[in-house]
Amino acid sequence: MLTLTDGAVQVIRTVTTHPELPPQTGIRIATSGIDGSNALNLSVAPAPEAGDQVVEAEGARVYLEPGAAELLDDKTLDAEVDPQGDVAFTIGDSETEV
């Protein structure tokens, strides 16, 4: 299952916690399927769609469409904000415990 770093949790909570958004708002990751690639699309979603896998950590919610859930099963999502305020999400291999 996809894991979230502390940085990802903080950024997701910042992006999805606004008075005008529903309380269950999260980040949704879906495959684009363009030309057979495994490109991923990330968007803010008010709730999971039918069939989405839900990953939640410390109030941060990520909704994974089935194809994305399969691709990201053993991955870690990280995020940071640059000095200009732009958010960058990165996906890496999950660290294995010895």
Side-chain angles (χ1 to χ4, degrees):
M1 178 179 287
L2 179 72
T3 58
L4 308 178
T5 66
D6 290 339
V9 167
Q10 290 176 348
V11 169
I12 292 167
R13 286 193 329 217
T14 299
V15 169
T16 61
T17 305
H18 294 283
E20 67 274 6
L21 296 175
Q24 69 275 17
T25 298
I27 298 295
R28 185 166 194 269
I29 302 175
T31 54
S32 67
I34 298 173
D35 297 327
S37 73
N38 289 331
L40 298 171
N41 293 322
L42 188 140
S43 61
V44 176
E49 293 186 15
D52 281 358
Q53 181 182 99
V54 178
V55 177
E56 188 169 358
E58 300 175 42
R61 291 174 201 83
V62 177
Y63 306 129
L64 301 170
E65 67 90 23
E70 184 177 332
L71 283 173
L72 302 175
D73 185 49
D74 60 347
K75 305 294 183 196
T76 297
L77 181 67
D78 193 13
E80 58 184 43
V81 180
D82 69 17
Q84 291 77 32
D86 295 323
V87 175
F89 285 93
T90 56
I91 297 170
D93 290 328
S94 292
E95 295 182 22
T96 55
E97 296 182 28
V98 179

